[in-house]
Amino acid sequence: MKKIIPVAALTAVLLSSCANSYNVEGSSSVSSLDGSKLYLKTVKDNELHSLDSCAVIHGEFHFNGILDTVRMATLFMDNEGLMPVVLEQGNIMINIDNTGQKVSGTPLNEKLYVFLDKHKQLANRMDELSHRQAQMMLDGIDEDSINDTLLREAASITEAEDKLVTTFISDNFDNVLGPGVFMMITSGFKYPILTPQIEQIMSKATEKFKNNPYVKEYYRTASENEARMQGFDVPPSGDSQPQGETVPAADSPTAKQSADTALLDNNANFSH
């Protein structure tokens, strides 16, 4: 199963939507966080920018500010991405403990973390397959039979994950969650590529989604990479910087990890 999370990091996608102010109240039962500096970071013009910072004191931390738009941001500890947060009007609650992280209290955060929980359940099911394989071998089941059973189950889980992600993005084309999760699934790639899932998403995307700066630039660069890998000459566009490295030839891809990848590697909701 491919990573979708960060997440190179999730991070932040800026969309047009009105918001007056945000207020974040955080609590942590993880003792190692006490005294740490936390940052809310967003992505703008393909660069990470720190929006706010605070210290964790006795397991509590707090952010607040004024925004002219709803933003999807990432909570960082130093350079380590911890979790996505939608900055929207209302009282946002963050809880971090040894079993995971969760954001609640506002509509888009609630919707995002229901999705993340469902994705985590699928990831856990995929992880369990290796344990089942070992147990089936101990039970003396034929290896070919084991492989056949587990491959079918893995395919079923992958199909469920693809449907979950595609449906969620489609249902949220016109708010920050659609582009935000699109950024999360594409951040796991070494360079921008087109997959059947991405093509399906783009085939029914709204104009607002297609014109999101990250989505628009990713799709342009991925389309150029696809043409290069098929042996076509693609003139440089020169109108903006790509989200990731272009591919000079079919057999020589270059890798560039976005900030979302760090988030994907550290966010328990997306770890495999």
Side-chain angles (χ1 to χ4, degrees):
M1 178 183 286
K2 59 181 178 295
K3 285 185 179 179
I4 74 171
I5 86 264
V7 133
L10 195 287
T11 13
V13 179
L14 186 62
L15 288 181
S16 58
S17 180
C18 294
N20 296 323
S21 63
Y22 65 89
N23 181 63
V24 179
E25 297 288 345
S27 63
S28 168
S29 59
V30 181
S31 58
S32 60
L33 283 182
D34 252 15
S36 298
K37 196 75 172 285
L38 300 180
Y39 301 87
L40 281 176
K41 297 185 179 183
T42 64
V43 168
K44 187 175 181 181
D45 299 327
N46 298 331
E47 302 253 343
L48 265 179
H49 296 272
S50 180
L51 187 65
D52 201 356
S53 64
C54 69
V56 181
I57 301 175
H58 303 306
E60 306 289 332
F61 56 94
H62 179 232
F63 299 100
N64 60 43
I66 297 173
L67 290 173
D68 59 358
T69 184
V70 174
R71 296 175 186 256
M72 195 165 177
T74 302
L75 181 67
F76 275 79
M77 182 179 68
D78 297 324
N79 293 320
E80 178 184 358
L82 298 178
M83 58 197 300
V85 184
V86 181
L87 299 181
E88 59 182 329
Q89 189 172 12
N91 293 318
I92 301 166
M93 294 171 285
I94 298 178
N95 179 260
I96 302 174
D97 58 32
N98 290 316
T99 62
Q101 308 93 26
K102 185 172 182 179
V103 186
S104 59
T106 56
L108 292 180
N109 279 303
E110 297 278 0
K111 184 182 287 190
L112 175 61
Y113 275 81
V114 167
F115 163 76
L116 294 179
D117 286 344
K118 290 179 179 177
H119 189 275
K120 183 178 179 180
Q121 291 171 17
L122 291 172
N124 289 340
R125 284 177 57 193
M126 186 67 82
D127 287 341
E128 288 170 3
L129 294 183
S130 60
H131 301 297
R132 285 192 55 202
Q133 180 185 37
Q135 184 59 53
M136 291 167 79
M137 292 180 69
L138 287 174
D139 291 341
I141 300 174
D142 176 72
E143 185 174 352
D144 288 339
S145 178
I146 293 173
N147 291 338
D148 182 62
T149 298
L150 296 185
L151 283 173
R152 279 190 282 106
E153 292 190 25
S156 176
I157 295 170
T158 298
E159 182 180 358
E161 184 216 19
D162 285 349
K163 182 178 180 180
L164 174 69
V165 172
T166 301
T167 300
F168 185 83
I169 292 175
S170 300
D171 288 347
N172 294 279
F173 275 145
D174 293 338
N175 63 57
V176 295
L177 298 181
V181 172
F182 182 87
M183 181 183 287
M184 294 160 94
I185 68 170
T186 55
S187 69
F189 302 139
K190 291 183 177 181
Y191 51 84
I193 60 172
L194 297 180
T195 66
Q197 183 182 41
I198 290 174
E199 293 280 32
Q200 181 184 3
I201 290 169
M202 296 303 294
S203 71
K204 55 185 179 180
T206 63
E207 289 303 310
K208 187 172 184 177
F209 180 84
K210 290 178 181 177
N211 288 319
N212 172 269
Y214 177 87
V215 174
K216 184 176 181 179
E217 188 58 32
Y218 178 91
Y219 191 64
R220 181 191 67 79
T221 307
S223 298
E224 291 180 357
N225 286 343
E226 182 73 16
R228 287 187 177 91
M229 288 188 286
Q230 306 231 350
F232 297 107
D233 291 329
V234 179
S237 63
D239 56 355
S240 60
Q241 293 299 314
Q243 296 290 345
E245 301 289 348
T246 57
V247 183
D251 59 349
S252 57
T254 53
K256 179 182 179 183
Q257 298 297 329
S258 70
D260 295 307
T261 303
L263 175 59
L264 289 169
D265 289 341
N266 290 284
N267 182 352
N269 291 305
F270 286 100
S271 56
H272 289 220

